[in-house]
Amino acid sequence: MTNPDSTPLDITNVHAVEILDSRSRPTLSVTVTLADGTTARAGVPSGASTGSGEAVELRDHDPARYGGLGVRTAVGNVNGEIADAVKGRTYANLADLDAALIALDGTANKSRLGANAIVGTSIAAARALATSAGLELWQSLAPAGVAPRLPVPHFNVVNGGAHAPNSLDFQEFMLAPIGAPGLAEAVRAGAETYTALKKILHAKGYATGLGDEGGFAPDITRPEDVLAVLVEAITTAGYTPGRNGIAIALDPAASEFYRDGAYHVAGQTLSSAEMIDWYDRLTTDYPIWSIEDGLAEGDTDGWIEITKRLGSRIQLVGDDNFVTNPAIITEAIGKHIANAALIKVNQIGTVTETLEAMRICRDAGYAAMVSHRSGETEDTFIADLTVATGAGQLKTGAPARGERIAKYNRLLEIADSYPDLPFGLN
Ligand code: PGA
Ligand code: ZN
């Protein structure tokens, strides 16, 4: 095995194309070519319920194309400025290339060249580096001193909020087969429960159309009613609800229903304290092990309080409020906000900064859950990133739809090729 640090990034070309994501919106495909002939490609993801502090996704705003969502400007930035700057240059490693991209952009939030342009280049370069070194991508990405690990897949099987046109305000209801003996069994548990869930929803008269992440989007208003159906599906599929079988993880994405200092959710108007009381009851009544964005990104006092109240028994994940930003996560850790971070490469815009955010979590004893975006391509980078960093958790949608299962299928292939890799929560 070659040490990737000893393989320089000798870039001869970078080329971007405007392609489509899973929501029929334009995004970028970026191909990096190295001097040894290696080529590697990346597809750039895109979110819908974004945090305000995310690195900026550059869109054309030309109403004549794709309703203004075209990315020809970002594509032009890759094929122009970025290619001109990096072509013919040799970087000692990925961190050096990413630092050069950040410096070339020159803004704090990557708004000039576009985080979509930069992250596509960074991911393609990371993949090229691994291929050139003769390593699996996860081997090449693994930080020194970190034990790679297969994650518990978190299958988002019921979609609401900004990801579905139903009456459900909570955005994501996930199945987490924490008790599975291995990755393949965890995938099977998720898929069998998803299938059972479809039958149960159908029998109860609900539509079984899918939301953006491949989960069902039934017209159910009360989260309690979804949770009851999930428990029924887990049991029907022959599994045990809870941490020794299939537990449930929520992403209410509460920033989306927080207005004027209150939470407008499931037909109620709740204060921050009332939301925390509700989560206390929900996590007592149902086998919920993790809640992401239970409160809105600006509700800092609420976040501190929910961490005090529930943090010792429930994983509390910061997404909109953390935006995979090393500086923001460091500050939040100092304030004892949450006990885990969601990790999305395009929220911060380079692979190096993503790895730094994950290192900060590890050092502070915070968990990290790697995540796709609601708009995805067939790119499987996040599967390798999760294994490399030993994070132990990956959420990448339902066990359905090509752009979602591509990541789970990549995990299955890694598990098959490397049977000695440990599986499970970190
Ligand atoms: P997004 O949602 O990709 O639409 O931002 C995912 C999430 O909120 O975790
Ligand atoms: Zn989220």
Side-chain angles (χ1 to χ4, degrees):
M1 231 191 261
T2 323
N3 178 350
D5 285 338
S6 67
T7 310
L9 260 172
D10 195 348
I11 298 175
T12 54
N13 202 18
V14 185
H15 184 74
V17 180
E18 186 182 60
I19 61 166
L20 292 182
D21 75 12
S22 54
R23 254 194 302 245
S24 207
R25 295 178 185 168
T27 187
L28 294 87
S29 148
V30 180
T31 301
V32 165
T33 307
L34 303 184
D36 65 4
T38 302
T39 67
R41 212 182 65 87
V44 176
S46 172
S49 70
T50 50
S52 63
E54 294 196 18
V56 175
E57 183 179 76
L58 203 60
R59 298 274 179 192
D60 296 340
H61 303 295
D62 169 4
R65 295 186 74 250
Y66 292 111
L69 295 174
V71 292
R72 279 186 174 169
T73 318
V75 165
N77 288 343
V78 174
N79 296 341
E81 259 194 75
I82 291 178
D84 289 347
V86 304
K87 254 169 34 183
R89 290 278 308 274
T90 300
Y91 299 92
N93 49 41
L94 188 67
D96 275 6
L97 170 69
D98 286 343
L101 293 172
I102 292 165
L104 182 68
D105 172 76
T107 68
N109 56 7
K110 303 184 178 66
S111 55
R112 198 179 72 78
L113 296 172
N116 42 356
I118 293 171
V119 83
T121 306
S122 180
I123 292 172
R127 190 170 273 138
L129 195 56
T131 306
S132 175
L135 294 171
E136 295 277 5
L137 179 54
W138 61 268
Q139 293 172 323
S140 172
L141 288 170
V146 170
R149 170 174 210 91
L150 292 159
V152 174
H154 282 59
F155 300 103
N156 181 10
V157 294
V158 174
N159 296 182
H163 294 167
N166 55 4
S167 56
L168 185 62
D169 293 315
F170 280 17
Q171 181 178 280
E172 300 173 20
F173 293 77
M174 291 170 271
L175 301 170
I178 298 175
L183 188 272
E185 292 82 356
V187 169
R188 178 182 154 207
E192 290 179 353
T193 305
Y194 180 79
T195 304
L197 176 62
K198 182 173 185 174
K199 284 194 191 125
I200 292 167
L201 288 172
H202 185 72
K204 291 184 191 295
Y206 291 112
T208 51
L210 304 183
D212 288 357
E213 298 190 349
F216 303 110
D219 222 1
I220 301 177
T221 305
R222 295 175 68 241
E224 290 86 345
D225 295 336
V226 176
L227 290 162
V229 173
L230 286 184
V231 170
E232 188 183 340
I234 293 167
T235 312
T236 304
Y239 296 93
T240 308
R243 294 189 196 210
N244 52 353
I246 303 180
I248 294 170
L250 299 178
D251 178 7
S255 302
E256 298 287 319
F257 51 78
Y258 185 67
R259 284 185 307 279
D260 308 321
Y263 294 88
H264 304 270
V265 55
Q268 315 160 80
T269 301
L270 301 179
S271 67
S272 192
E274 288 166 334
M275 285 295 288
I276 297 169
D277 287 343
W278 191 23
Y279 289 130
D280 198 353
R281 286 197 303 278
L282 287 178
T283 53
T284 306
D285 294 347
Y286 300 94
I288 296 166
W289 93 277
S290 175
I291 302 174
E292 170 189 335
D293 281 358
L295 298 174
E297 68 167 86
D299 186 4
T300 305
D301 292 344
W303 269 102
I304 292 169
E305 185 57 28
I306 195 174
T307 308
K308 266 192 219 145
R309 281 272 299 278
L310 304 181
S312 62
R313 64 182 182 87
I314 300 292
Q315 175 172 272
L316 299 168
V317 188
D319 173 14
D320 285 355
N321 53 344
F322 285 9
V323 291
T324 317
N325 184 310
I328 294 174
I329 294 173
T330 301
E331 197 185 321
I333 289 169
K335 288 182 180 159
H336 303 287
I337 288 176
N339 53 29
L342 202 72
I343 300 294
K344 294 166 166 167
V345 187
N346 80 323
Q347 275 186 328
I348 186 67
T350 64
V351 173
T352 301
E353 290 165 289
T354 305
L355 291 169
E356 173 64 1
M358 298 182 83
R359 183 196 62 76
I360 290 165
C361 290
R362 276 196 306 277
D363 288 356
Y366 271 44
M369 182 193 283
V370 180
S371 171
H372 66 157
R373 299 309 301 249
S374 49
E376 271 290 337
T377 72
E378 69 283 10
D379 191 291
T380 58
F381 179 81
I382 55 172
D384 284 76
L385 175 68
T386 313
V387 174
T389 53
Q393 307 177 44
L394 172 66
K395 73 163 192 174
T396 183
R401 303 196 3 162
E403 77 282 3
R404 312 295 150 186
I405 58 167
K407 284 74 162 168
Y408 296 126
N409 288 345
R410 171 68 183 146
L411 291 179
L412 287 166
E413 285 167 5
I414 296 172
D416 180 70
S417 301
Y418 299 90
D420 292 339
L421 279 173
F423 162 82
L425 296 179
N426 196 337

